[in-house]
Amino acid sequence: MLSFRKMHGLGNDFVVLDGRAAPLDLTRAQIMALADRRRGIGCDQLIIMEPPPAGADVFMRIHNPDGSEAGACGNATRCIASLIAAETGKAQVVVRTIAGDLPSEARPDGLWQVDMGPARLGWRDVPLAREVDTLHVPLACGAVADPAACSMGNPHATFFVPDLDALPICEIGPRMEHDPIFPERANIGFVEVVAPDHLRLVVWERGAGQTLACGSGACATIVNANRRGLTGRAARISMPGGDLFMEWRQDGHVLMTGPIATAFIGQVDPKALAR
């Protein structure tokens, strides 16, 4: 039997598997079966902990529900850091992903803070299909237009809108995710500025659809909002699942602070999964 832990950060939920003792070698079909909310366990991302490389405490591999691999997930990073901290007694944990190292720290208030690394702002960094100004990407769909783009280890486009509740996000999101200007697809954020230090955000995640929260999307939001002159370098980002507290430091790194939770633990029979 394959043991798992179901965790979430603000409702952005994960099936966490431990592959540190031996490789799990799951097929894409098995990953999709585990992520299926009706026939499997269900999750926004499937997370596999792998042996720690030199300089890190664990390697975190991230799979979307469609089986594709993601480079960063801020909410999952907090969850994995908390597990490693509970095992080791460390208050500071380095989680490595295919996008780089994510130093994480437990705070006295029970929240976890993650250094999500530097925001990358060049058009090749995002990446975009052609050279354009990433502060004003020539893209429009229905009531939204003129997003800003950046990379937080995965591609993000941020649309600023006057009324978040009026948007048909489930119609616009997939069209923008697959627009040809994003050769690797993109996470699409829709942001309403409430105040200079408070923003509302809904994210259509690449390969996952609309989620209750998106950590890397919140990072892209504070970066792009500050670049547009809409906020300072720190703000509360309110998403359907709750709030993250974000800061874009002067050195370019983005700090994300928020909660983690374990929903349940269990076991699943790998032989019952799709192959």
Side-chain angles (χ1 to χ4, degrees):
M1 298 293 287
L2 184 64
S3 296
F4 69 89
R5 181 181 296 263
K6 182 70 177 290
M7 303 187 75
H8 72 88
L10 302 177
N12 186 198
D13 63 335
F14 316 104
V15 170
V16 179
L17 304 175
D18 194 343
R20 290 175 293 176
L24 298 182
D25 295 327
L26 296 177
T27 65
R28 182 166 185 156
Q30 288 175 320
I31 291 168
M32 293 172 66
L34 282 167
D36 191 297
R37 295 191 181 277
R38 291 178 175 81
R39 300 179 184 274
I41 303 167
C43 61
D44 289 327
Q45 276 86 29
L46 183 137
I47 307 297
I48 301 177
M49 295 190 293
E50 297 182 2
D57 295 291
V58 67
F59 186 91
M60 179 177 74
R61 195 167 299 280
I62 309 161
H63 293 282
N64 292 316
D66 65 359
S68 62
E69 191 168 354
C73 180
N75 289 318
T77 300
R78 297 197 312 278
C79 292
I80 298 303
S82 72
L83 294 180
I84 301 302
E87 290 180 358
T88 63
K90 293 183 175 181
Q92 297 179 328
V93 173
V94 176
V95 178
R96 183 167 297 173
T97 73
I98 59 173
D101 287 351
L102 302 173
S104 309
E105 181 177 2
R107 289 173 28 129
D109 57 8
L111 302 180
W112 275 84
Q113 184 175 85
V114 179
D115 180 347
M116 293 291 289
R120 292 177 282 277
L121 309 179
W123 70 273
R124 290 187 178 89
D125 299 323
V126 176
L128 300 178
R130 62 184 187 276
E131 183 175 1
V132 300
D133 180 3
T134 60
L135 193 54
H136 296 281
V137 179
L139 189 62
C141 180
V144 302
D146 187 35
C150 69
S151 172
M152 289 303 310
N154 50 8
H156 285 272
T158 308
F159 289 91
F160 295 95
V161 301
D163 185 357
L164 190 59
D165 297 325
L167 290 180
I169 290 173
C170 289
E171 296 177 14
I172 300 173
R175 292 174 61 184
M176 294 294 91
E177 174 193 351
H178 292 275
D179 191 273
I181 201 168
F182 303 118
E184 297 179 7
R185 297 183 292 161
N187 299 281
I188 309 299
F190 303 92
V191 178
E192 179 182 333
V193 178
V194 180
D197 60 351
H198 183 203
L199 303 103
R200 294 180 61 214
L201 166 67
V202 174
V203 178
W204 179 271
E205 289 199 45
R206 177 182 62 168
Q210 185 175 334
T211 55
L212 291 177
C214 178
S216 61
C219 294
T221 295
I222 188 63
V223 169
N224 288 330
N226 180 261
R227 294 171 71 204
R228 286 278 182 94
L230 301 173
T231 68
R233 300 187 76 94
R236 172 166 62 103
I237 309 292
S238 296
M239 292 168 284
D243 293 349
L244 289 175
F245 300 90
M246 311 301 304
E247 179 184 359
W248 187 23
R249 295 192 318 210
Q250 292 291 341
D251 65 359
H253 284 235
V254 183
L255 300 184
M256 175 194 62
T257 303
I260 62 97
T262 295
F264 56 90
I265 59 175
Q267 293 182 317
V268 64
D269 183 358
K271 295 179 182 177
L273 300 176
R275 296 187 179 276

